[in-house]
Amino acid sequence: MTLVGHKDSVLDADMSSSLSLLVTASTDKTVRVWHARSGKEQWAGKHGAYVYACTFSPDCRRAISASGDRTCRVWAAKKGECLHILKVSALVAQARCGCGVRR
């Protein structure tokens, strides 16, 4: 399968625990979510700099991206709506989600 959409290098990828979605982070300043079986892009979100890392929440409802624009963004995993922007004082190069997610 070939994922078509990013315009530059992909730096990180994560598969949802349900195995239905894939999230990718790229130097084209986007985070993208894909249908895992078809490879079809579901949505793309923008940052102001390279996106270095991405992951899904344990319940697969959120995607998280970390960028050189000094933000971490929390997205609705299925629709791509940006729910939160967390601003930090330094470059963010990793994104991980803890197990303490409320349902």
Side-chain angles (χ1 to χ4, degrees), residues 1 3-6 10 12-16 18-26 28 30-46 51 53-57 60-65 73-81:
M1 172 186 330
L3 304 176
V4 178
H6 283 297
V10 172
D12 195 19
D14 188 37
M15 181 74 73
S16 67
S18 66
L19 304 179
S20 63
L21 298 174
L22 176 71
V23 62
T24 55
S26 174
D28 67 5
T30 67
V31 58
R32 294 174 191 259
V33 169
W34 314 82
H35 288 282
R37 287 186 185 220
S38 69
K40 182 179 177 185
E41 182 182 303
Q42 187 162 337
W43 58 265
K46 294 185 179 184
V51 183
C54 56
T55 192
F56 284 105
S57 63
C60 302
R61 293 178 53 215
R62 305 285 182 257
I64 297 96
S65 56
R73 295 176 191 244
V74 180
W75 310 85
K78 289 188 178 179
K79 296 192 178 189
E81 176 188 359

Side-chain angles (χ1 to χ4, degrees), residues 61-99:
R61 293 178 53 215
R62 305 285 182 257
I64 297 96
S65 56
S67 173
D69 65 4
R70 299 181 178 185
T71 67
C72 288
R73 295 176 191 244
V74 180
W75 310 85
K78 289 188 178 179
K79 296 192 178 189
E81 176 188 359
C82 184
L83 304 172
H84 303 286
I85 299 174
L86 308 167
K87 296 179 183 180
V88 296
S89 60
L91 174 105
V92 182
Q94 285 192 347
R96 297 296 171 252
C97 195
C99 294

